[in-house]
Amino acid sequence: MPETPRLEVGTKAPAFSLTDADGNTVKLSDYKGRKVIVYFYPAASTPGCTKQACDFRDSLGELNGAGLDVIGISPDKPEKLAKFRDKEKLTFPLLSDPDREVLTAWGAYGEKMMYGKTVHGVIRSTFVVDEKGKIAEAQYNVRATGHVAKLRRDLSV
């Protein structure tokens, strides 16, 4: 299988319209005029994804204060996302991409190494989309632990 194309800084962010944990439709265009962090994670309620989501939750005040919103996207169904959000007291949108179309468009789904084997799955990735809808940061294969702190350093937040 060919490598999933990667987004590059300066390119237009692929549009999306996905369902959130409450069944509402959320579009990237809803954030036009604002900066937004869009992060892709493999599965709600797993140890690494929980750590990463809680790090975003705990940094949300500073990120919002710097003009950055946060959106998390995974292949999980809205019902699972709602349980995850409620259990972890997450206060930013979690979006469902069960068909993995948005994940693929953003280069966050494809071949990856897991425990020494090549598998197909979600590539943990984080993007910053600027006010004009362009990619300002594109980080692939990020680590769940410590990633938010590194992102804050990179963005001087």
Side-chain angles (χ1 to χ4, degrees):
M1 171 149 204
E3 186 167 323
T4 305
R6 300 278 169 108
L7 297 181
E8 295 186 19
V9 171
T11 60
K12 186 166 174 38
F16 62 75
S17 178
L18 295 171
T19 304
D20 72 7
D22 296 317
N24 301 311
T25 299
V26 176
K27 300 176 188 158
L28 181 60
S29 60
D30 296 342
Y31 293 86
K32 190 169 174 66
R34 292 194 48 83
K35 290 182 190 169
V36 61
I37 295 168
V38 179
Y39 82 97
F40 295 90
Y41 61 99
S45 300
T46 56
C49 296
T50 298
K51 173 73 177 128
Q52 185 180 23
C54 290
D55 284 351
F56 272 117
R57 176 200 66 206
D58 296 345
S59 295
L60 201 57
E62 290 87 354
L63 291 168
N64 289 165
L68 289 151
D69 293 319
V70 175
I71 299 171
I73 301 176
S74 77
D76 296 309
K77 300 268 191 253
E79 302 78 26
K80 185 175 180 189
L81 295 176
K83 285 180 187 165
F84 181 46
R85 176 200 60 204
D86 295 347
K87 180 173 188 251
E88 303 302 333
K89 297 179 176 47
L90 302 176
T91 55
F92 54 87
L94 298 177
L95 307 183
S96 173
D97 184 22
D99 299 331
R100 297 167 179 81
E101 288 175 14
V102 174
L103 284 151
T104 302
W106 286 65
Y109 186 82
E111 280 188 5
K112 64 179 186 173
M113 292 300 286
M114 194 167 171
Y115 306 114
K117 292 186 175 172
T118 302
V119 297
H120 258 79
V122 176
I123 299 163
R124 191 182 303 275
S125 308
T126 300
F127 304 88
V128 177
V129 180
D130 71 15
E131 299 90 340
K132 294 178 181 153
K134 299 225 188 250
I135 301 293
E137 289 274 334
Q139 299 179 1
Y140 290 93
N141 296 308
V142 300
R143 299 218 177 273
T145 303
H147 169 63
V148 176
K150 180 188 179 311
L151 183 64
R152 287 182 58 187
R153 282 192 305 276
D154 292 350
L155 299 173
S156 302
V157 176

